[in-house]
Amino acid sequence: MNKISHGQILNLLFLCTLYVAACTIWPKPVLAFYLPSAASGHQGITALENFGDNPGELKAYIQLPSQPKGAKLVVLLHGCVQEAKIFAGDSGMGTLAREKNAILLLPEQQKTNNVANCFNWFSQNDISKHSGEMLSLFNMITYSQKKYQASEVFIAGLSAGGAMTAALLANYPDLFTAGAIIGGLPYQCASNLIKAIACMKSGPGKSTQEFIDIVLQQHPKRSKWPRLTIWSGTKDTVVNPKNATVLAQQWAGLNGITQANNTIEHDEYLIREWRNNKNEILVKQVEMLNLKHGLPVTPKQTPPADYMLAAPLSAVTEIAKFWQL
């Protein structure tokens, strides 16, 4: 399968870039990212198989509650150099899904597709509707939704998983009730690896309106969109936080809201909310001041781990509240 032109060469370039970026943030070697956390239990997580066409050659795992029929379905997309089950444990999403009686679906990249284990959010073939990894993800989500008669579908992703979440929300807005993007990038921010690195380091090269138009071209008559919360750290040197601001403005613009109509200021974070005329929060942006690249966790609730950064707010807990999980 021709997944990316010059595949291995470009992927190696991306891995080197990732290594350099990671070493500027974490003092320990990048190889530590491959070591499982002691707290990341995999109880109740099994492989999801025979979910349909899988042109992206992705893996998937699923965690079922005691009563899965009619439960809500949560999809969690990991970041680069992460594994799905470890991410579910380290982030606290596995525990939260069990507490909320939710189904947890965990797609996973394979190193044969990307040597850094990133979802290929910068490959046109893999982010286009019904193509490559996008079709694989769509099939595993809809298979799980139908099999367990899920009442609602939610999706969250970190970093490359966040960028893939943006692509899924843009391609299949009918499928999701709400989403969450942490340290991610807008859909169509890049169409190849070189542009991806530029978008990561400098921010989007398109205007907010251009990103709005990209989505509207696919859904010109649509007026209702999944609710979305976007998280970023102002000290993120892996994915420029400008991407989060453009994402929030893009999604607010799709909802016809040009200005945030509520702001919450705190010494360690800033929250902006875009509400409709019913005072419902449609878009929520959370900027963690002085935080680097990763998912915010509160140490008393979730121990810090690789890419899990100690913070005054737990992203997983706040996302669940926003979703009304």
Side-chain angles (χ1 to χ4, degrees), residues 232-265:
S232 63
T234 60
K235 299 297 183 182
D236 190 335
T237 57
V238 176
V239 174
N240 193 309
K242 290 178 183 178
N243 288 288
T245 297
V246 170
L247 262 169
Q249 293 171 343
Q250 174 200 31
W251 220 249
L254 287 170
N255 282 283
I257 308 171
T258 56
Q259 297 290 331
N261 39 32
N262 189 45
T263 301
I264 301 168
E265 296 187 26

Side-chain angles (χ1 to χ4, degrees), residues 121-310:
W121 62 272
F122 46 83
S123 163
Q124 198 65 45
N125 178 65
D126 289 305
I127 61 173
S128 296
K129 191 172 184 178
H130 293 334
S131 176
E133 292 178 14
M134 190 60 34
L135 180 56
S136 296
L137 291 164
F138 174 79
N139 284 342
M140 62 180 70
I141 294 169
T142 53
Y143 170 85
S144 302
Q145 180 190 31
K146 292 174 183 176
K147 181 174 181 178
Y148 299 106
Q149 300 175 34
S151 58
E152 294 179 287
V153 181
F154 302 86
I155 186 167
L158 170 64
S159 195
M164 215 60 166
T165 295
L168 281 159
L169 289 167
N171 283 318
Y172 309 109
D174 284 326
L175 186 55
F176 303 100
T177 298
I181 296 172
I182 307 102
L185 309 99
Y187 172 60
Q188 295 284 9
C189 188
S191 56
N192 60 52
L193 191 62
I194 303 302
K195 290 181 180 178
I197 293 172
C199 188
M200 288 168 61
K201 304 309 289 183
S202 303
K206 300 183 181 76
S207 69
T208 299
Q209 188 59 51
E210 285 177 301
F211 282 114
I212 292 171
D213 291 341
I214 286 169
V215 180
L216 286 178
Q217 285 170 8
Q218 290 196 57
H219 314 282
K221 297 181 180 180
R222 189 174 185 87
S223 59
K224 183 176 175 57
W225 302 88
R227 294 181 294 110
L228 182 63
T229 179
I230 300 109
W231 290 65
S232 63
T234 60
K235 299 297 183 182
D236 190 335
T237 57
V238 176
V239 174
N240 193 309
K242 290 178 183 178
N243 288 288
T245 297
V246 170
L247 262 169
Q249 293 171 343
Q250 174 200 31
W251 220 249
L254 287 170
N255 282 283
I257 308 171
T258 56
Q259 297 290 331
N261 39 32
N262 189 45
T263 301
I264 301 168
E265 296 187 26
H266 185 275
D267 288 344
E268 296 182 83
Y269 55 83
L270 176 65
I271 299 175
R272 297 183 184 89
E273 297 173 340
W274 287 260
R275 298 172 179 252
N276 62 13
N277 54 15
K278 297 179 181 178
N279 206 37
E280 297 167 328
I281 304 171
L282 302 184
V283 180
K284 181 175 182 177
Q285 181 185 9
V286 183
E287 288 184 287
M288 304 301 298
L289 307 181
N290 302 312
L291 207 70
K292 297 178 182 178
H293 188 66
L295 187 143
V297 299
T298 51
K300 288 184 179 180
Q301 184 178 3
T302 306
D306 294 329
Y307 291 109
M308 308 297 123
L309 308 180

Side-chain angles (χ1 to χ4, degrees), residues 21-44:
C23 287
T24 66
I25 299 175
W26 293 282
K28 56 188 171 180
V30 72
L31 289 175
F33 300 155
Y34 292 94
L35 299 177
S37 165
S40 58
H42 303 159
Q43 297 88 345

Side-chain angles (χ1 to χ4, degrees), residues 72-93:
K72 295 178 180 180
L73 173 62
V74 174
V75 184
L76 182 65
L77 299 183
H78 64 80
C80 298
V81 297
Q82 288 185 313
E83 297 176 15
K85 291 185 285 186
I86 293 174
F87 181 41
D90 285 354
S91 66
M93 189 65 87

